[in-house]
Structures are given as structure tokens and as C-alpha cells.
């Protein structure tokens, strides 16, 4: 069951967070971010609760290494707002745009669990006609969930190395939680966007053409 009170927990960069998710408990791992020099890369953190989260605040320190320091001003903290079927393509239990300003209150979501069906024949694609079985999601509860993105803009002249800092997460209903940040800066320098070169490859989908 969803734990009571405010939780601060890790997630992987590619994780899809929903209003039904919560942390597994245990010690927090560092938010690890890898970037070349002149790069802009992100790590993630999640705050959730069974009640509304009020006055959420994240304070980031400077990131220090033996060879130099990256100021806290180079770290951008953003909050992913809930989706909306009227203003975005995301369902209300998922998250969409990244906002620079944390809201004063993050309410408990009012979303119901998604209702989905899958083919009984696993060789058939999900949306093709044919027999389906429904997926019943029982015993799960929504919460107030704040997916956070910590985005570091690494200076072009930054020294390669491992930088360390902290993010202090606080809210009205919990004591501050200190989360380590680990930034790994490689020696390679990313070109400025104006110097990017992009190659696009087209690929036929024979299955789509056959259908």
C-alpha cells in the first residue's frame, strides 16, 4: 500500500512516473548526471505523498570537484505538471510539461486507474480486431506526485571529472531531506547547437504497408 507522509525517492532517467507510483523505501541514491563539457543534461527525483504536498522547495548547492566548481545557478530545477486530456496528449495520471516554478500545493490526483485490454493472441497487435482480455488494476491508490528534473548546464570550459553536491528537498509536512548529486563531466566538448549536423533516415514499415 502507498506509505503515509511525504516520500523522496529516486527514479531512472527514462522511467514513466504516474500518479499511482511511490518509492520503495531504503536509502536514497545520488541523482547521477553524465554530460560532456558544454552539455545540458538532466537527472531525476520524485516527491510523493498520500496527502497534498504544500510549499515544496528544492535548494541545490554548488557542484564541486578537485579540478573546479560549477555554481548552483547552473542547475535548473523543474516540476512536471500533470497531463490533461483537454490541454495535452497525456492522461491526467501521467505528466507532461516541465515548469520552472513549483506550485504552492500539489494535490492528490483524482485520476482513476487506466482501463486497458490486450490481445489473447500475443502475435496480434494490441489495436487490431480480435479477442481481448481486460487488465483490472485493483488495490492501487493515487497520491500527490511531483516528478522533478535537475538539469545541469555544464560550462564549455569546465574541467573533466566527478562533481558532487546536494539537493535539499523540503515541504510543509516533512523535515528537509538531503539528496546527493553526482555529476560526471567527460573531456569531450559538445558543439554549440548552431554547429550540429543531423542526418535523417527514412524506413519503410512493411507490416503497415501490408495492412
Amino acid at each position: 500500500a502507498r506509505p503515509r507522509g511525504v516520500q523522496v525517492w529516486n527514479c531512472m532517467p527514462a522511467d514513466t512516473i504516474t500518479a499511482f507510483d511511490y518509492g520503495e523505501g531504503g536509502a536514497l541514491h545520488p541523482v547521477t548526471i553524465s554530460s560532456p563539457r558544454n552539455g545540458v543534461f538532466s537527472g531525476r527525483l520524485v516527491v510523493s505523498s498520500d496527502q497534498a504536498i504544500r510549499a515544496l522547495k528544492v535548494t541545490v548547492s554548488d557542484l564541486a570537484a578537485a579540478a573546479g566548481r560549477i555554481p548552483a545557478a547552473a542547475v535548473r530545477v523543474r516540476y512536471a505538471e500533470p497531463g490533461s486530456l483537454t490541454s495535452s496528449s497525456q492522461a491526467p495520471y501521467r505528466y507532461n510539461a516541465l515548469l520552472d516554478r513549483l506550485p504552492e500545493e500539489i494535490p492528490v490526483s483524482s485520476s482513476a486507474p487506466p482501463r486497458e485490454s490486450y490481445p489473447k493472441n500475443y502475435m496480434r497487435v494490441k489495436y487490431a480486431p480480435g479477442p481481448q482480455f481486460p487488465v483490472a488494476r485493483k488495490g492501487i491508490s493515487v497520491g500527490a506526485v511531483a516528478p522533478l528534473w535537475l538539469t545541469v548546464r555544464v560550462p564549455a570550459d569546465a574541467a573533466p571529472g566527478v562533481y558532487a553536491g546536494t539537493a535539499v528537498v523540503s515541504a510543509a509536512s516533512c523535515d528537509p531531506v538531503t539528496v546527493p548529486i553526482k555529476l560526471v563531466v567527460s573531456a569531450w566538448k559538445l558543439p554549440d547547437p548552431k554547429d550540429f549536423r543531423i542526418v535523417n533516415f527514412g524506413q519503410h514499415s512493411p507490416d503497415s504497408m501490408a495492412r
Side-chain angles (χ1 to χ4, degrees):
R2 178 180 291 278
R4 294 185 178 277
V6 175
Q7 272 194 309
V8 181
W9 45 282
N10 300 104
C11 76
M12 296 296 290
D15 281 351
T16 297
I17 302 299
T18 74
F20 307 103
D21 294 332
Y22 50 84
E24 297 178 351
L28 278 164
H29 297 285
V31 176
T32 302
I33 305 166
S34 297
S35 174
R37 297 184 298 151
N38 202 39
V40 182
F41 285 80
S42 300
R44 294 178 64 191
L45 195 62
V46 187
V47 182
S48 62
S49 176
D50 60 328
Q51 304 291 327
I53 303 170
R54 297 179 178 85
L56 179 63
K57 183 179 180 182
V58 182
T59 304
V60 177
S61 71
D62 291 349
L63 306 177
R69 181 178 295 269
I70 295 175
V75 184
R76 187 179 179 188
V77 179
R78 288 176 291 173
Y79 157 77
E81 70 172 350
S84 167
L85 294 179
T86 58
S87 62
S88 76
S89 61
Q90 293 293 356
Y93 57 84
R94 292 182 60 175
Y95 295 88
N96 194 44
L98 296 177
L99 307 180
D100 282 298
R101 185 173 181 179
L102 300 177
E104 287 297 320
E105 179 177 313
I106 299 166
V108 173
S109 174
S110 58
S111 296
R115 305 177 71 177
E116 294 186 296
S117 296
Y118 289 85
K120 291 185 176 180
N121 177 357
Y122 73 94
M123 293 295 290
R124 188 168 54 78
V125 297
K126 179 178 177 182
Y127 300 106
Q132 308 248 341
F133 68 86
V135 176
R137 293 177 171 86
K138 298 179 180 179
I140 62 174
S141 59
V142 290
V145 180
L148 302 175
W149 293 66
L150 280 61
T151 303
V152 182
R153 182 176 292 275
V154 178
D157 59 354
V162 179
Y163 292 73
T166 59
V168 178
V169 180
S170 61
S173 54
C174 74
D175 295 329
V177 176
T178 299
V179 185
I181 299 175
K182 177 183 177 183
L183 171 66
V184 181
V185 177
S186 63
W188 184 69
K189 180 181 175 183
L190 189 71
D192 290 327
K194 65 182 179 62
D195 298 320
F196 286 178
R197 296 292 182 268
I198 299 173
V199 178
N200 294 309
F201 292 94
Q203 178 178 330
H204 287 293
S205 170
D207 295 332
S208 300
M209 294 177 68
R211 289 181 62 191

